[in-house]
Amino acid sequence: ANPQVKKDVVIEGAFVSSRLTRGKLHVIQQFLPHLPPFKLWYIGTEKDRADTVAANMKALSSLTLKDLAPGVQIIDDQGRRTGPTLLVAPENFYCSDESGGGSTITVTTFNLNDPLYPRQSVGVAADAGTVYATTGSLYLAAMRQNYTPSPLRADVSVMTEETVIHKFDLTGDKVQSMGSGMVPGRLLNQFSLGEYEGVLRIATTTRFSWGSPLTSANHVFCLKSGTEGLEVIGKLENLAAGERIYAARFIGKRGFLVTFVQIDPLFTLDLSDPAVPRVVGELKIPGYSDYIHPLDENHLIAIGKDANLEKGIAWFQGVQLSMFDITDFANPRLLHKKLIGVRGTESEALHNHKAFTFWKEKNLLALPIQLYEYEKLPVAA
């Protein structure tokens, strides 16, 4: 009835995401250090180059750890400010061979069951664009670019995409790194990852750019923590060539992928043996799905867009709700389909799963819709 602010904790860095589990709040942030201005150009002589490097090194020499690492300030209920002090102790920083980023990611943990319990923070020299968590594990993933020889011309490099994943253990008193790994391709979103019995399943799309055949393919990799970090123990490669992943979901020993270019294939995946993931079934229907939601053990609800094919081109239409029967896992069936609006109709739920509100006890589904419909004009007499 009368909430009061007892304390503010102000952490340097951009907010990425957060997770609440086991009564602990884990806040993930990305920090870029404030570096002095550098000289980026030189005339071209070796002396000028050496002078430019020396000037830049001199500018860096004045920096301390406080300049390169995020800080934290505490503001009490009287407005008194303490800090800034280092958010992460040096011994709690991690750096892996798969970092691939120029920033620092921090995970700061607050025990909400005991507000007086001191916060704890760990850091990793990396980027993070996607966050996925279970009750016991936290995964941070980011895409990085790599250049490799073109399969058509050895003297030409092509840009490929890789996803770097960092795993943290949330079960102890302190968040701890469990290693890092890398897989080819780009993630779609957090539902492209799913952990089951200690194994992370991750779905990616690879695409080749200029200097190679313009193709794409989709893959599922299974990774487990080992002596060398997150190690790939099984993989399913080159699904639906020429298409990309529009939706993914991992539920227990099963997985579901939706790819699209002109028609929507729903793939059902058997992941019971993570060393040998395999496609079990496939269903092709017009349109595509952006988000897959488990209704019960044998049914899925999906939201996406309807599509019409004209001269080989798929024209997106209104919002499409689909219900799938996966009782026969090798033969998924479309039970029901509901089209909402015409071309131009949109929904926040297509891009944000938190806008997809399903109330199972009442069998009610709520969706925000920006509706477009054709107006029926009166017929002239």
Side-chain angles (χ1 to χ4, degrees):
N2 186 28
Q4 297 179 355
V5 175
K6 305 298 292 183
K7 179 173 63 176
D8 285 332
V9 181
V10 184
I11 303 172
E12 285 188 290
F15 177 78
V16 177
S17 190
S18 63
R19 294 294 186 274
L20 176 62
T21 178
R22 301 173 184 262
K24 294 181 178 179
L25 174 66
H26 306 282
V27 180
I28 300 100
Q29 292 182 256
Q30 185 171 23
F31 173 79
L32 287 169
H34 304 289
L35 300 177
F38 295 128
K39 292 184 177 181
L40 302 179
W41 309 101
Y42 59 93
I43 296 175
T45 65
E46 283 301 316
K47 182 181 184 305
D48 189 58
R49 181 180 185 276
D51 290 344
T52 301
V53 171
N56 288 338
M57 294 301 293
K58 183 178 180 180
L60 285 172
S61 64
S62 62
L63 298 179
T64 66
L65 183 59
K66 288 185 177 181
D67 298 309
L68 300 175
V72 58
Q73 298 183 64
I74 307 299
I75 305 174
D76 66 17
D77 56 355
Q78 302 300 313
R80 294 184 292 254
R81 187 180 297 264
T82 303
T85 57
L86 282 179
L87 173 67
V88 184
E91 62 270 20
N92 292 329
F93 269 105
Y94 297 94
C95 184
S96 85
D97 294 336
E98 303 292 352
S99 292
S103 63
T104 295
I105 294 297
T106 60
V107 181
T108 303
T109 301
F110 300 89
N111 188 338
L112 301 187
N113 296 322
D114 184 4
L116 297 180
Y117 190 84
R119 71 185 184 280
Q120 297 187 7
S121 299
V122 297
V124 57
D127 295 331
T130 302
V131 176
Y132 165 73
T134 68
T135 57
S137 301
L138 173 69
Y139 293 93
L140 309 179
M143 190 271 293
R144 72 178 180 188
Q145 296 177 343
N146 193 20
Y147 290 87
T148 59
S150 167
L152 299 181
R153 290 179 54 185
D155 60 331
V156 175
S157 295
V158 296
M159 187 272 290
T160 58
E161 296 173 334
E162 302 169 335
T163 296
V164 180
I165 313 107
H166 306 279
K167 179 181 180 180
F168 294 87
D169 179 19
L170 303 180
T171 59
D173 293 334
K174 175 182 174 182
V175 175
Q176 291 187 326
S177 172
M178 297 297 289
S180 305
M182 184 275 296
V183 295
R186 171 193 287 262
L187 288 178
L188 176 65
N189 52 35
Q190 70 186 70
F191 295 102
S192 297
L193 303 102
E195 185 191 74
Y196 181 71
E197 295 184 344
V199 176
L200 176 69
R201 292 78 56 87
I202 177 170
T204 67
T205 298
T206 52
R207 288 176 286 186
F208 295 100
S209 60
W210 179 87
S212 67
L214 188 60
T215 59
S216 61
N218 307 286
H219 324 276
V220 175
F221 300 94
C222 299
L223 298 92
K224 193 170 185 178
S225 294
T227 56
E228 300 297 325
L230 285 177
E231 302 172 1
V232 176
I233 61 173
K235 55 187 176 181
L236 176 62
E237 296 181 290
N238 299 320
L239 285 173
E243 304 182 9
R244 72 170 179 88
I245 294 173
Y246 271 66
R249 196 75 191 238
F250 296 101
I251 305 170
K253 298 179 180 180
R254 302 188 295 184
F256 306 91
L257 290 183
V258 170
T259 62
F260 181 77
V261 65
Q262 291 182 344
I263 199 167
D264 171 358
L266 169 68
F267 294 99
T268 57
L269 311 176
D270 180 1
L271 306 171
S272 56
D273 182 357
V276 191
R278 60 191 184 93
V279 174
V280 177
E282 180 180 352
L283 172 66
K284 293 185 177 181
I285 58 173
Y288 66 89
S289 300
D290 278 304
Y291 172 68
I292 301 171
H293 189 88
L295 178 60
D296 55 39
E297 184 178 358
N298 294 316
H299 297 89
L300 304 171
I301 301 178
I303 181 172
K305 283 290 190 73
D306 185 25
N308 291 339
L309 289 179
E310 294 182 11
K311 298 180 180 180
I313 299 176
W315 295 90
F316 299 155
Q317 303 300 310
V319 170
Q320 175 175 281
L321 287 170
S322 306
M323 181 181 290
F324 299 101
D325 184 345
I326 54 172
T327 306
D328 182 354
F329 203 59
N331 296 286
R333 296 188 302 123
L334 176 64
L335 282 186
H336 307 289
K337 182 171 74 172
K338 174 68 175 178
L339 301 180
I340 303 175
V342 298
R343 182 174 173 83
T345 300
E346 294 290 338
S347 172
E348 174 73 11
L350 294 169
H351 317 290
N352 179 5
H353 67 279
K354 294 181 181 180
F356 186 98
T357 306
F358 180 63
W359 193 4
K360 188 173 183 179
E361 291 76 13
K362 298 290 186 179
N363 280 326
L364 290 177
L365 173 64
L367 299 168
I369 295 288
Q370 183 181 357
L371 186 65
Y372 280 72
E373 293 180 313
Y374 293 121
E375 180 180 358
K376 293 183 179 180
L377 299 177
V379 179

